[in-house]
Amino acid sequence: MCALTPIRQLTAAMSVACLFTSMAASTVEAQVIRRVAPVDRAHASTVSHGLTIYRVASPPAGGNASVVPATLRVGTSSIPIDLWVEGSPNSSDMYVPLDGLDQALDSIGFRSTWDADSFTWAIQTSTPRADTWGLATGAGIGAVAVDGSLATRLNVFPGVDLTSGWNGSGTVFLPLPQVSQILADLGVQNAWDAASRVWTWVPPLQTSAPLGPSQGVEEVRSDIVASGSNIVLQNLQVDGDVMISPSPGGSVSLDHVSIDGKLVILGSPAGTIQLTDVASPCIDVDSGGAVSLAISGGAIGVVDVLPGAGGLQVAGAKSSVLELDDFATAPVVISGGQFEAAEILADGGVLDVETSLPLVRVRASGATLTVGQGQTVGLLQVSPAVNGFSLDNFGTLQFLVNSSPRPVSVQGTGAVESAMGAMTTAQAGGMASSVAGK
């Protein structure tokens, strides 16, 4: 944490003379930085292009710092932007001023504000399309809120843009790598080219109309944000993520869509979301309402049911899903298809397996697994940290491995063929017997 230290009083004449002497020096070239000598622990810096002048408190790392000119390229627009760099101008410790970001964010329909009292950078997207749950919690004196929810924390340091005068206007500097990741999770593909000092943004393709040809395959080199009452995507190769935000009562259909990134479900339509021959390494179910998902053909890596999701019913037909990870407390039901594994990761989570499944892992306390009638679970693993777990078994569990010190509570008419670790089984009349597996 670094607080802004006071600047010693300098006369206006001396300040202006020093600054203009630096900018007018004959040796200044486009990429050469001129800095006024630090006063105490604050820095005053100038750069030739745009004549930006900053007074900035030392970043958390301390040491030498300078301003380097860069270009922010958004679509066909280029915006000059000055980065604050710790160490040499070629250092990777780069910070971007928020006042320079605002123009670019406005151009793609985002609204950005800084609350100096709470040290919070708030981003409001034009439609709910945030999927920042995978961001690291982060540490630092600054917070990032997306669409009203805290997304992460990061190190920030305040500064003053003196271009408009000695008193200047306040700004704040944010670490470029973390800003880049936040933007990526909001659907803005972006890349930093250190050699040319160009930061390129590719905003998402936004659509509320059907997208894709009736025949052949169309390639989309950006994320897609699809919203509205009738979402139809077909015959697409997407180099990025697909985020769908259906209206209540709407419908969603994806047919022959290959997604290099993830498919994110941000809303709950009235009917079932139809995925026909869809390939994606990951599906994030991030809807506060219940979602019904039908997968026919195609191949899915992982289905993540995120914290706060309102529940999920997912049915497969001639499809392949490697794993379902349940981070939510609302019930999740899986049926049909070819599922390889499932994992319960939320305390109090509820998973209903209406299909045969080779592997279920339990890593949360107070969770419940139901095995449907006629279904088979090959291996059920209960982790050592689990403090209580219930199995409602109406099918067949071939092997239970309970590494927790608490017995697994087993109910239902199904069979447990083999077990390691303690479990209790319900008997007629409400009595229970304790079984120590071998």
Side-chain angles (χ1 to χ4, degrees):
M1 180 173 179
C2 177
L4 186 63
T5 56
I7 305 295
R8 293 177 182 170
Q9 295 297 321
L10 299 177
T11 67
M14 291 175 61
S15 303
V16 173
C18 289
L19 294 174
F20 277 90
T21 297
S22 176
M23 290 185 287
S26 59
T27 56
V28 174
E29 298 176 359
Q31 299 297 320
V32 177
I33 311 308
R34 289 297 184 219
R35 292 195 298 140
V36 176
V39 181
D40 288 338
R41 293 193 59 196
H43 300 284
S45 298
T46 68
V47 64
S48 57
H49 95 288
L51 302 181
T52 301
I53 308 168
Y54 287 117
R55 182 174 70 239
V56 184
S58 298
N64 294 324
S66 58
V67 174
V68 298
T71 300
L72 177 52
R73 190 169 293 157
V74 184
T76 58
S77 301
S78 293
I79 302 169
I81 190 169
D82 298 323
L83 303 178
W84 187 266
V85 180
E86 274 291 283
S88 72
N90 295 321
S91 170
S92 60
D93 294 328
M94 294 189 175
Y95 297 80
V96 56
L98 186 57
D99 56 349
L101 281 175
D102 284 340
Q103 180 182 350
L105 291 168
D106 287 345
S107 72
I108 60 174
F110 287 40
R111 187 167 60 88
S112 165
T113 58
W114 172 255
D115 187 329
D117 293 331
S118 62
F119 262 54
T120 299
W121 180 32
I123 306 171
Q124 189 71 39
T125 61
S126 56
T127 58
R129 59 184 182 219
D131 185 41
T132 56
W133 81 281
L135 281 174
T137 304
I141 60 175
V144 180
V146 177
D147 292 332
S149 299
L150 179 66
T152 188
R153 301 194 68 86
L154 42 70
N155 273 321
V156 302
F157 57 98
V160 178
D161 182 348
L162 299 176
T163 306
S164 57
W166 180 247
N167 290 329
S169 58
T171 187
V172 66
F173 285 78
L174 310 165
L176 189 150
Q178 286 178 274
V179 173
S180 175
Q181 183 58 59
I182 292 166
L183 291 174
D185 283 351
L186 296 179
V188 183
Q189 294 187 28
N190 65 100
W192 167 251
D193 186 333
S196 62
R197 291 179 185 158
V198 173
W199 192 12
T200 302
W201 292 8
V202 181
L205 171 62
Q206 301 185 53
T207 182
S208 57
L211 181 65
S214 58
Q215 295 181 343
V217 177
E218 179 181 338
E219 186 176 8
V220 178
R221 292 182 173 274
S222 71
D223 290 4
I224 295 176
V225 177
S227 59
S229 59
N230 182 31
I231 296 175
V232 177
L233 305 178
Q234 62 183 8
N235 299 325
L236 295 173
Q237 168 63 53
V238 183
D239 182 14
D241 298 337
V242 174
M243 303 184 187
I244 57 175
S245 182
S247 303
S251 62
V252 178
S253 173
L254 276 66
D255 189 355
H256 286 83
V257 178
S258 178
I259 305 169
D260 288 346
K262 57 188 175 182
L263 171 62
V264 184
I265 300 172
L266 294 169
S268 178
T272 299
I273 296 175
Q274 302 287 340
L275 304 182
T276 304
D277 291 325
V278 171
S280 176
C282 181
I283 297 178
D284 281 359
V285 180
D286 200 4
S287 168
V291 169
S292 178
L293 187 63
I295 304 175
S296 178
I300 306 297
V302 178
V303 177
D304 284 330
V305 188
L306 303 189
L312 171 69
Q313 290 189 344
V314 53
K318 298 180 180 179
S319 61
S320 172
V321 179
L322 292 181
E323 184 163 335
L324 182 140
D325 290 343
D326 183 10
F327 295 86
T329 56
V332 174
V333 181
I334 59 176
S335 62
Q338 185 176 350
F339 296 85
E340 296 297 326
E343 192 164 53
I344 304 176
L345 294 154
D347 289 346
V350 177
L351 178 62
D352 186 352
V353 176
E354 299 296 333
T355 185
S356 292
L357 198 61
L359 172 64
V360 176
R361 293 183 293 266
V362 181
R363 302 185 187 276
S365 300
T368 300
L369 171 67
T370 300
V371 180
Q373 188 171 2
Q375 307 303 329
T376 299
V377 171
L379 172 63
L380 173 60
Q381 294 179 329
V382 182
S383 296
V386 171
N387 185 17
F389 167 69
S390 297
L391 171 64
D392 293 340
N393 184 21
F394 300 94
T396 300
L397 174 58
Q398 293 178 333
F399 194 16
L400 167 65
V401 177
N402 179 21
S403 300
S404 165
R406 291 282 301 273
V408 171
S409 175
V410 180
Q411 304 179 65
T413 57
V416 178
E417 294 181 347
S418 183
M420 291 181 62
M423 67 179 186
T424 60
T425 57
Q427 295 180 335
M431 300 294 289
S433 62
S434 179
V435 179
K438 296 182 179 179

